[in-house]
Amino acid sequence: MKSRFDFRPKLLAVLENYSKEKFMADLMAGIIVGIVALPLAIAFGIASGVSPEKGLVTAIIGGFIVSFLGGSSVQIGGPTGAFIVIVYGIIQNFGIEGLAIATVIAGILLVLMGVLKLGTVIKFIPYPIVVGFTSGIALTIFTTQMKDLFGLSIEKVPADFISKWIVYFEHFGSFNIWPFLIGVISILIIVFTPRFSKKIPGSLVAIVVVTIIVYAMKNFAGITGIETIGDRFTINASLPAPEKITFSMETINRLLPSAFTIAILGAIESLLSATVADGVTGDKHNSNTELIAQGAANIVVPIFGGIPVTGAIARTMTNINNGGRSPIAGIVHAIVLLLILLFLGPLTKHIPMACLAGVLIIVSYNMSEWRTFRSLMKNPKSDVAVLLTTFFLTVIFDLTIAIEIGMLIAMLLFMRRVAETTKVSVTKEVVDLSDEGEILHDDSVLVLPTGVEVYEIDGPFFFGIANKFDESMKVIGDKPKVRIIRMRKVPFMDSTGLHNLESLFRLSQKEHIHIILSGVNQQVHGVLTKSGFADKIGDDNICSNINEAIQKANEFVNHK
């Protein structure tokens, strides 16, 4: 049975029928995923503006919590490329402490989403928005790597997209051939490794091979000018001690938009990853439990200096492809990364920055979804508008603005489409019943008594069609004695629709016009009852079908 908050970690269900064979499969998968996650965690950490071990800490602690508490059997949590842009921007504007506060707030928001059972709602975010900001993030990540790829001598790279490229062109005279060659070699190794080995990730092969080459070049060939991680960062090969995070209403208000972006982005990416995994494994994840786990990870990780956590699609698929079928594999992956940090951490200082730039360029290419982007450009203009708006806002401004405005545009376009499909028609003589299922006799046409008009609302009765309904009420002609509002095709009504109906009722009372409602469904009837409108109009004037409503109208006309 589900708990009150729909929270039941997959780990509990898995352990009920766990076996040695399943453990061995999860163990091997976890080891491989841990190795795959190593270069990505380091690269994402550095690209986000923090030290490399912070990326590893995020993958270790965040990955463990996501697997331990999560609602997916195979989800692998950790830092992802999608967060690079937003994290880098927060650090630039608010510092490391600001990032920690924003991440904790985002974690709380994710937990609330899960507790309020909003897991399924997140999946309804329009696809053009997801593709737009994913492609925008990919281009931004690509842009951030130009300094290290070309070995440019730039003291501080600007945060925004356009300024970055201006600075790159201004400093292109400092181009260094050696980092460029290292970056290109790294890219080629990553691209061609799958032709020789499906198990060993190309990014790991590139880092090991290129690091050895650069070490030899520096120490035996006397070649300098190739910057490594150790030249830029001091590696702390241990888990950091927890640090206190100080909150105030001022910082919360300033960071809430960024926290909201982290939460929405984390929810979308983790649930998308879990859904893709379900399609491969045949399992079914619990989206609300997954959101609570993602939230818990993002609350805990910043205490140890980490960056935002979410489900990682590439690492999750690696887990599945290597036989992982339970959260144990994700826990093993976190332990493997911890052992690497503790015992091999100092060796990471020899990794060339240009090599990591090559890794992230491949990541950005895979994220770009350029084929999907191109196909969406053939869709209706409204979808194209949402796609391009989200894309350009992500690239030129930032992800927070892109998500907020993209979702706003998508909602407005959706409401316009719903309003366009909602029709209000007026009938004064006969009602055709041939296309419906409420005929109670042999006649397919009902003749309306003199002085009776039928107004039919076909679609949701919400604020989007308020004007349309008002315009239909202003039909020129003699005033009727009875107005039948036919609502059989109204699935729901909001407060504006209710206000509209109440205004019509008051106006009709002044003009001595009787109002009868027809075909009101249970949900709409509940709204009318709760608001008190059902008492005003009288329950006997809320009819179940048009036949009953016309009979009621006939009685009123004859007795008047």
Side-chain angles (χ1 to χ4, degrees), residues 90 94 98 101-102 105 250-260:
I90 293 171
F94 305 106
I101 293 170
I105 296 171
E250 182 185 353
T251 55
I252 290 172
N253 289 334
R254 289 169 61 205
L255 290 164
L256 195 56
S258 299
F260 176 76

Side-chain angles (χ1 to χ4, degrees), residues 457-471:
I457 306 169
D458 185 354
F461 193 12
F462 72 120
F463 65 92
I465 67 150
N467 290 338
K468 190 181 291 187
F469 185 74
D470 285 340
E471 288 167 7

Side-chain angles (χ1 to χ4, degrees), residues 372-380 384 387-388:
T372 304
F373 193 100
R374 185 176 62 183
S375 66
L376 283 175
M377 291 296 292
K378 300 173 185 176
N379 282 14
V384 173
L387 174 71
L388 293 179

Side-chain angles (χ1 to χ4, degrees), residues 180-399:
F180 178 72
L181 289 176
I182 293 300
V184 171
I185 291 170
S186 301
I187 292 170
L188 292 175
I189 291 173
I190 296 169
V191 170
F192 288 105
T193 295
R195 297 190 180 186
F196 305 100
S197 173
K198 299 290 184 184
K199 296 283 187 182
I200 304 175
S203 55
L204 182 67
V205 175
I207 283 180
V208 172
V209 171
V210 171
T211 299
I212 293 172
I213 292 172
V214 170
Y215 184 82
M217 290 169 66
K218 277 189 166 186
N219 290 277
F220 301 109
I223 297 173
T224 58
I226 305 175
E227 190 178 23
T228 63
I229 289 177
D231 295 328
R232 194 178 295 181
F233 301 99
T234 301
I235 310 299
N236 182 11
S238 63
L239 276 178
E243 295 181 6
K244 183 180 178 181
I245 301 174
T246 305
F247 292 87
S248 68
M249 282 308 300
E250 182 185 353
T251 55
I252 290 172
N253 289 334
R254 289 169 61 205
L255 290 164
L256 195 56
S258 299
F260 176 76
T261 302
I262 292 172
I264 292 294
L265 190 59
I268 292 171
E269 191 166 8
S270 61
L271 295 183
L272 179 62
S273 174
T275 302
V276 171
D278 286 350
V280 178
T281 62
D283 195 13
K284 185 171 177 60
H285 75 279
N286 183 316
S287 56
N288 297 313
T289 298
E290 186 63 25
L291 287 180
I292 293 172
Q294 298 287 343
N298 281 289
I299 291 171
V300 174
V301 164
I303 297 172
F304 295 90
I307 58 179
V309 180
T310 188
I313 296 176
R315 275 159 274 173
T316 298
M317 290 306 298
T318 302
N319 183 31
I320 295 169
N321 294 335
N322 287 281
R325 288 297 181 272
S326 87
I328 298 296
I331 292 172
V332 170
H333 132 272
I335 294 171
V336 168
L337 285 173
L338 174 62
L339 294 175
I340 291 173
L341 173 65
L342 296 178
F343 297 106
L344 300 177
L347 295 179
T348 59
K349 69 179 182 181
H350 300 294
I351 299 173
M353 296 301 299
C355 179
L356 292 180
V359 170
L360 287 170
I361 286 171
I362 293 295
V363 168
S364 66
Y365 175 81
N366 293 333
M367 278 184 68
S368 68
E369 299 190 62
W370 63 270
R371 293 180 181 85
T372 304
F373 193 100
R374 185 176 62 183
S375 66
L376 283 175
M377 291 296 292
K378 300 173 185 176
N379 282 14
K381 290 181 180 179
S382 57
D383 287 344
V384 173
V386 172
L387 174 71
L388 293 179
T389 300
T390 310
F391 174 77
F392 284 115
L393 286 174
T394 301
V395 172
I396 297 173
F397 296 99
D398 64 51
L399 201 56

